[in-house]
């Protein structure tokens, strides 16, 4: 809308309207504030989409008049220029909020379809194994055995077991393919999603800046006068060709998204074994909601649609049952209610019986065993980790203990020098000690040669023996000091060598613990090489799926141009591609760690780029898949 300065304005539809700025706009103020608050809400990549839908439900309910395709132009009174600008601005904002909310709902529905498709694939593999088992020599043997058992117990009905297995396999295969088609349709709607409008420009028009005086909408909300420059900016923004094209694409996409959600839930209700009333109620609700029924545009309707989408993954599809499944037995036990007694009471009674008969009689033995295990573990930690680490730290800080006290060695050597001086063979200095000791040795030999007993009684044998004992003490301390210096020079090396077992325990123990935890999460105990091999198989299947889809285009004899090669994946192929990538990412998440998170995040980002918005051609997808396969091969270095 533009203003010519004469009191009249030209709208987007070309007609002249009078500009009346004194009309009541109290209702529009609330709508603007609601739109501003909702536009600031974003759903981060790892955020809760359900919470995002719940937060936007109230805003979508208040902005319902601007969301429905036929809501504009239904007023009995001809709107003014400013009112038409406001309606147009709120219409753009409301459609952007609706597009974000529908995107979150579609992604939630896609996750539910991925869960169901994975569940059906496991059931399909289960029945395929039974079908293969029924053939060959083992199948003939079991068939003869079943005939004999059936002849004795005809009420078991074992003759048609092979046919029943085949029927189950065909049913679950049909359900799996049907689920892939639904998954592919949802993903194609997400890939066709228009790019978001320039929210920064939209928020600047709606006064999300600090300069409130220069904003036309800010003055409008505060009750002030109109700001001409800001009004021109909003008019210029709305009249941009790309924004007018965007609003048409967004309206078409939102209607298509609602219809896709309705159709997908219809397929779920058809597959569910329920009554007509239970099926028709959510189906009729979603049909009215998809057709923008005015009674289904409130906040509770959006929450109801969210609950239906979340429930879509719960019902079991045809062929999903098995001969024996532990989870089914556990769920039946939990639902068991005999004579009005809930199953939880029976579980508590069984737990109490187990405590009284098993745990209580052997309580002390369990405590002693736990203490012995703790002592053994603490001994390993202290001997292999604490002591070597403490010695290394003390050695680096020069606080290492010594075997010989330097004062004791000096004291013994000084005492030896004094004893030699008293004997008369030395001067009491360290430099003359060797000569004095040699003289004392010759003197000792002479005393012993003259008679040992006489030398002890009347000579100096006793004094010479004490000198020899003192010499032995000094030499022993000197040798210990030399050994101490040698040990001190190699103490750090020894402690580092002693820490090698601790380092090996930490490295391989951590790997074993992480592998054990990842196996617990996968509920399947496998080696990392086996998991990596399965991940490589998934990538090869993805490549095969892309190659075969591209081959179908080539078989028509059309030229491979960008326009003809863009939409080359059909819904079933798209669903199969998503399921393979989902299975690969599940294994990648389970194995991170031991796989480093940096490499896993890089692969995850590349896989997201594989399904860029706008449906990338299979040629570019195959090129990007080669990069993903190269990154996947690099993970072997970390096993």
């Amino acid at each position: 809308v533009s203003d010519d300065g004469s009191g009249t304005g030209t709208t987007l539809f070309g007609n002249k309207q009078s500009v009346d700025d004194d009309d009541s706009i109290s209702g529009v103020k609330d709508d603007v504030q609601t739109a501003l608050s909702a536009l600031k809400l974003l759903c981060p990549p790892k955020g809760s989409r359900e919470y995002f839908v719940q937060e936007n439900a109230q805003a979508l309910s208040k902005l319902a008049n601007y969301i429905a395709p036929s809501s504009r132009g239904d007023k009995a009174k001809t709107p003014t220029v400013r009112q038409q600008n406001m309606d147009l601005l709120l219409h753009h904002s409301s459609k952007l909020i609706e597009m974000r909310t529908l995107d979150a709902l579609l992604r939630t529905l896609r996750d539910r379809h991925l869960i169901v498709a994975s569940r059906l694939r496991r059931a399909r593999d289960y029945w395929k194994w039974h079908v293969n088992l029924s053939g060959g020599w083992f199948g003939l043997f079991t068939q003869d055995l079943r005939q004999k058992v059936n002849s004795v117990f005809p009420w078991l009905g074992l003759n048609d077991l092979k046919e029943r297995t085949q029927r189950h396999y065909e049913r679950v295969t049909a359900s799996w393919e049907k689920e892939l088609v639904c998954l592919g349709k949802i993903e194609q709607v997400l890939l066709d999603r228009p790019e978001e409008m320039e929210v920064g420009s939209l928020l600047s028009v709606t006064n999300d800046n600090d300069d409130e005086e220069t904003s036309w909408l800010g003055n409008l909300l505060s009750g002030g006068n109109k700001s001409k420059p800001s009004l021109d900016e909003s008019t210029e923004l709305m009249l941009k060709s790309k924004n007018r094209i965007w609003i048409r694409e967004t309206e078409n996409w939102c209607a298509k998204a609602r219809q896709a959600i309705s159709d997908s839930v219809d397929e779920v209700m058809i597959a569910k074994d329920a009554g007509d009333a239970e099926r028709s109620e959510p189906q009729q609700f979603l049909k009215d909601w998809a057709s923008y029924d005015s009674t289904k545009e409130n906040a509770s309707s959006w929450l109801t649609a969210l609950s239906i989408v979340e429930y879509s993954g719960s019902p079991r599809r045809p062929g999903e049952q098995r001969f024996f499944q532990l989870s089914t037995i556990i769920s039946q036990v939990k639902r068991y209610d005999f004579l009005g007694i809930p199953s939880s009471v029976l579980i508590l009674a069984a737990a109490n019986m187990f405590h009284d008969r098993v745990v209580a009689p052997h309580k002390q033995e369990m405590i002693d065993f736990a203490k012995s295990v703790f002592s053994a573990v603490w001994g390993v930690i202290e001997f292999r980790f604490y002591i070597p680490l403490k010695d290394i730290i003390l050695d680096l800080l020069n606080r290492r203990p010594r075997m010989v006290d330097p004062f004791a060695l000096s004291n013994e050597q000084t005492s030896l020098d004094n004893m030699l001086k008293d004997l008369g063979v030395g001067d009491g200095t360290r430099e003359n000690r060797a000569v004095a000791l040699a003289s004392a040795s010759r003197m000792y030999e002479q005393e012993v040669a003259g008679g040992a007993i006489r030398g002890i009684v009347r000579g100096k044998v006793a004094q010479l023996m004490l000198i020899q004992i003192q010499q032995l003490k000094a030499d022993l301390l000197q040798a210990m000091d030399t050994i101490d210096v040698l040990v001190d020079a190699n103490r750090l090396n020894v402690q580092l060598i002693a820490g090698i077992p601790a380092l090996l325990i930490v490295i391989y123990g951590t790997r074993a613990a992480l592998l054990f935890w990842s196996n617990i999460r996968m509920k399947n105990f496998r080696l990392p090489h086996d998991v990596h091999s399965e991940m490589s198989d998934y990538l090869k299947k993805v490549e095969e799926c892309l190659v075969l889809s591209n081959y179908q285009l080539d078989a028509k004899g059309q030229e491979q141009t960008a326009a003809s090669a863009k939409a080359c994946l059909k819904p079933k192929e798209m669903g199969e591609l998503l399921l393979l990538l989902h299975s690969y990412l599940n294994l990648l998440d389970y194995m991170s760690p031991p796989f480093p998170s940096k490499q896993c995040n890089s692969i995850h980002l590349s896989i997201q780029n594989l399904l860029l918005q706008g449906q990338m051609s299979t040629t570019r997808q195959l090129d990007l898949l080669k990069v993903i396969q190269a990154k996947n091969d690099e993970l072997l270095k970390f096993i």
Side-chain angles (χ1 to χ4, degrees):
V1 179
S2 61
D3 190 1
D4 57 5
S6 61
T8 60
T10 304
T11 68
L12 294 176
F13 309 100
N15 56 332
K16 294 279 186 176
Q17 302 292 345
S18 61
V19 182
D20 188 6
D21 294 332
D22 298 329
D23 294 339
S24 175
I25 55 171
S26 59
V28 179
K29 290 183 180 180
D30 296 336
D31 295 339
V32 170
Q33 293 291 0
T34 302
L36 282 174
S37 302
L39 284 174
K40 296 176 183 178
L41 292 177
L42 292 175
C43 184
K46 295 184 179 180
S48 174
R49 302 188 186 101
E50 293 82 358
Y51 178 75
F52 180 73
V53 175
Q54 293 172 2
E55 288 295 312
N56 280 338
Q58 193 65 33
L60 290 171
S61 175
K62 292 182 179 180
L63 300 174
N65 294 330
Y66 308 97
I67 292 176
S70 59
S71 62
R72 295 173 57 201
D74 290 343
K75 298 180 180 180
K77 182 180 178 181
T78 303
T80 64
V81 174
R82 184 163 60 170
Q83 287 175 349
Q84 293 187 48
N85 277 282
M86 291 290 296
D87 292 345
L88 187 61
L89 187 61
L90 286 172
H91 181 60
H92 279 69
S93 303
S94 303
K95 297 307 291 187
L96 179 57
I97 299 168
E98 183 191 11
M99 183 176 67
R100 290 177 176 178
T101 308
L102 288 174
D103 181 85
L105 275 175
L106 284 172
R107 294 182 187 276
T108 303
L109 182 60
R110 183 190 62 183
D111 294 343
R112 298 303 183 271
H113 280 301
L114 281 172
I115 294 173
V116 174
S118 301
R119 210 167 60 206
L120 288 172
R121 185 181 60 186
R122 291 192 298 268
R124 181 173 177 268
D125 294 338
Y126 172 83
W127 289 114
K128 184 178 180 180
W129 182 80
H130 278 79
V131 170
N132 295 333
L133 190 65
S134 61
W137 64 269
F138 185 78
L140 295 176
F141 172 75
T142 55
Q143 184 177 0
D144 294 338
L145 183 61
R146 286 197 303 267
Q147 289 178 356
K148 293 179 181 180
V149 173
N150 193 69
S151 62
V152 181
F153 305 101
W155 49 273
L156 291 177
L158 298 178
N159 281 335
D160 59 341
L161 185 61
K162 181 178 179 179
E163 290 76 10
R164 282 189 295 168
T165 304
Q166 183 66 32
R167 287 196 300 269
H168 280 303
Y169 173 71
E170 293 174 356
R171 288 181 64 193
V172 74
T173 301
S175 300
W176 177 66
E177 293 178 351
K178 187 176 182 181
E179 199 70 26
L180 291 181
V181 172
C182 295
L183 178 60
K185 290 180 179 179
I186 296 297
E187 182 62 24
Q188 285 182 345
V189 174
L190 285 172
L191 293 179
D192 292 336
R193 177 178 177 264
E195 294 184 0
E196 289 195 1
M197 190 180 179
E198 298 178 1
V199 184
S201 301
L202 191 61
L203 289 175
S204 65
V205 173
T206 55
N207 192 29
D208 195 43
N209 50 21
D210 296 333
D211 191 7
E212 189 171 339
E213 294 180 357
T214 61
S215 176
W216 162 62
L217 200 54
N219 286 316
L220 177 67
L221 294 177
S222 61
N225 295 325
K226 174 182 66 175
S227 177
K228 173 95 175 177
S230 185
L231 175 59
D232 294 339
E233 290 177 3
S234 65
T235 306
E236 181 182 357
L237 176 67
M238 295 299 106
L239 290 177
K240 285 183 179 179
S241 59
K242 62 177 183 179
N243 290 335
R244 301 184 68 173
I245 295 174
W246 177 86
I247 194 63
R248 288 196 297 269
E249 292 178 350
T250 303
E251 289 177 350
N252 295 333
W253 185 86
C254 290
K256 185 178 178 181
R258 290 186 180 223
Q259 189 61 40
I261 295 174
S262 177
D263 294 342
S264 179
V265 174
D266 284 345
E267 297 293 339
V268 174
M269 293 302 171
I270 292 174
K272 180 185 176 183
D273 187 13
D276 294 338
E278 188 177 356
R279 290 180 183 177
S280 60
E281 185 175 354
Q283 289 177 344
Q284 186 61 40
F285 169 80
L286 287 179
K287 286 180 180 178
D288 297 338
W289 176 74
S291 60
Y292 287 94
D293 190 347
S294 59
T295 60
K296 305 299 182 183
E297 291 297 326
N298 50 18
S300 61
S301 299
W302 284 94
L303 297 179
T304 302
L306 175 62
S307 62
I308 294 175
V309 167
E310 290 179 335
Y311 172 74
S312 61
S314 300
R316 289 188 173 274
R317 300 326 192 242
E320 215 176 330
Q321 65 276 8
R322 302 186 182 184
F323 285 134
F324 176 80
Q325 195 170 6
L326 183 60
S327 60
T328 304
I329 297 176
I330 293 175
S331 62
Q332 290 178 354
V333 171
K334 290 181 178 180
R335 293 195 303 266
Y336 184 71
D337 190 1
F338 180 70
L339 296 178
I341 302 175
S343 59
S344 56
V345 176
L346 299 178
I347 294 174
L348 290 175
N352 184 57
M353 183 181 299
F354 178 79
H355 176 269
D356 294 340
R357 297 188 179 184
V358 178
V359 178
H362 305 88
K363 180 180 179 180
Q364 190 60 38
E365 297 177 5
M366 295 179 182
I367 294 176
D368 295 339
F369 177 76
K371 289 182 179 179
S372 62
V373 171
F374 177 78
S375 300
V377 172
W378 176 250
V380 172
I381 294 175
E382 184 179 15
F383 183 72
R384 294 296 181 185
F385 293 89
Y386 175 71
I387 295 178
L389 184 61
K390 183 187 72 174
D391 292 341
I392 290 173
I393 294 175
L394 292 177
D395 187 77
L396 294 175
L397 297 176
N398 291 325
R399 295 182 180 180
R400 46 191 178 272
R402 297 177 61 89
M403 292 185 297
V404 178
D405 187 4
F407 173 78
L409 176 60
S410 176
N411 182 48
E412 295 298 333
Q413 290 177 348
T414 302
S415 178
L416 177 61
D417 294 336
N418 293 333
M419 293 173 69
L420 291 172
K421 182 179 180 181
D422 293 341
L423 186 62
V425 295
D427 57 357
T429 60
R430 182 176 183 180
E431 292 77 9
N432 197 29
R433 185 187 304 164
V435 178
L437 286 173
S439 300
S441 297
R442 303 292 84 78
M443 187 182 295
Y444 180 76
E445 292 173 357
Q446 293 175 2
E447 290 290 335
V448 172
I453 301 300
R454 185 177 63 85
I456 293 174
V457 175
R458 302 177 57 182
K460 299 180 179 181
V461 174
Q463 186 179 3
L464 292 171
M465 291 180 65
L466 291 175
I467 291 174
Q468 287 187 347
I469 293 173
Q470 185 65 26
Q471 179 188 359
L472 183 63
K473 289 173 58 180
D475 291 343
L476 181 61
L477 289 177
Q478 181 68 36
M480 291 180 64
D481 184 68
T482 305
I483 295 174
D484 196 6
V485 172
L486 180 64
V487 171
D488 187 62
N490 295 275
R491 185 187 300 272
L492 182 61
N493 298 332
V494 173
Q495 295 302 331
L496 290 176
I497 294 174
I500 290 178
L503 182 63
L504 295 177
I505 290 174
V506 170
I507 293 175
Y508 291 100
T510 303
R511 287 188 177 185
L514 294 177
L515 178 61
F516 179 73
W517 175 245
S518 63
N519 287 331
I520 290 178
R521 293 174 61 197
M522 287 188 294
K523 299 180 181 179
N524 189 8
F525 290 90
R526 289 183 293 176
L527 296 176
H529 285 279
D530 297 335
V531 178
H532 185 270
S533 177
E534 185 177 354
M535 293 168 61
S536 301
D537 291 339
Y538 281 134
L539 292 180
K540 291 178 182 177
K541 291 179 181 178
V542 170
E543 184 178 8
E544 180 182 0
C545 180
L546 292 175
V547 170
L548 292 178
S549 63
N550 202 15
Y551 172 76
Q552 291 179 359
L553 282 178
D554 295 338
K556 298 180 180 180
Q558 297 179 357
E559 183 181 357
Q560 285 296 314
T561 59
S564 62
K566 185 175 182 179
C568 52
L569 285 176
K570 297 180 180 179
K572 181 181 177 181
E573 296 167 348
M574 178 66 74
E576 186 178 0
L577 178 65
L578 279 177
L579 181 59
L580 292 172
L581 294 176
H582 173 73
S583 303
Y584 175 84
L585 289 177
N586 275 341
L587 293 179
L588 186 66
D589 292 338
Y590 286 146
M591 296 300 294
S592 175
F595 292 156
S597 58
K598 183 178 180 180
Q599 278 72 15
C600 294
N601 292 336
S602 177
I603 294 176
H604 199 284
L605 180 61
S606 299
I607 290 180
Q608 286 182 338
N609 293 334
L610 196 64
L611 296 172
L612 283 176
Q613 189 174 347
Q615 296 195 14
M616 196 190 321
S617 65
T618 54
T619 304
R620 297 179 62 188
Q621 287 177 328
L622 287 170
D623 293 338
L624 182 57
L625 185 61
K626 293 179 181 179
V627 178
I628 298 174
Q629 289 174 340
K631 293 180 181 180
N632 180 73
D633 295 338
E634 292 179 357
L635 294 177
L636 285 173
K637 298 187 298 184
F638 304 99
I639 296 180

